[in-house]
Amino acid sequence: MVVEIMIYYSFIYIALSCLILSKLSINVIKLRRQNKVSFGDDGDRTLMRRIRAQANFIEYTPIFLLSLIFHQSIILLIWSTRSGIKKDYQC
């Protein structure tokens, strides 16, 4: 039971990350359409900040999510071996 609950935390964070990325992308798209800018930022500082926010999120979020899943896997492996649960874990 505890094993299943811990795995669900990763999926919650992945789903929340998708929602945040959607919001960031919509913000960039709206401002691009408003300013009629197809490529780059055309010197608009607000657009530049929104593009960087989206890019930073895209760059760092996958590393965080992968490390979260890896960390939970290690904790589950340690917890299951110490509690005596007989389950085959293959790496």
Side-chain angles (χ1 to χ4, degrees):
M1 181 74 169
V2 175
V3 173
E4 294 172 357
I5 292 173
M6 287 186 72
I7 292 173
Y8 289 133
Y9 286 132
S10 297
F11 294 122
I12 291 170
Y13 282 112
I14 291 170
L16 288 174
S17 297
C18 290
L19 292 174
I20 293 170
L21 180 59
S22 298
K23 177 64 176 156
L24 290 171
S25 299
I26 289 169
N27 286 342
V28 172
I29 291 168
K30 281 182 180 179
L31 197 57
R32 280 187 184 278
R33 287 184 179 168
Q34 180 182 355
N35 294 340
K36 297 179 183 171
V37 177
S38 297
F39 298 104
D41 54 31
D42 201 31
D44 185 4
R45 295 192 49 81
T46 305
L47 180 57
M48 186 186 319
R49 283 191 297 250
R50 288 186 184 182
I51 291 171
R52 280 311 319 154
Q54 180 190 24
N56 286 338
F57 189 83
I58 290 171
E59 290 170 4
Y60 293 113
T61 302
I63 296 169
F64 165 74
L65 293 174
L66 287 173
S67 63
L68 176 70
I69 292 169
F70 179 73
H71 183 260
Q72 285 182 348
S73 300
I74 297 296
I75 289 175
L76 290 175
L77 182 63
I78 292 170
W79 180 81
S80 65
T81 56
R82 288 188 179 174
S83 65
I85 294 175
K86 303 292 183 190
K87 199 159 193 169
D88 293 330
Y89 287 100
Q90 297 177 354
C91 297

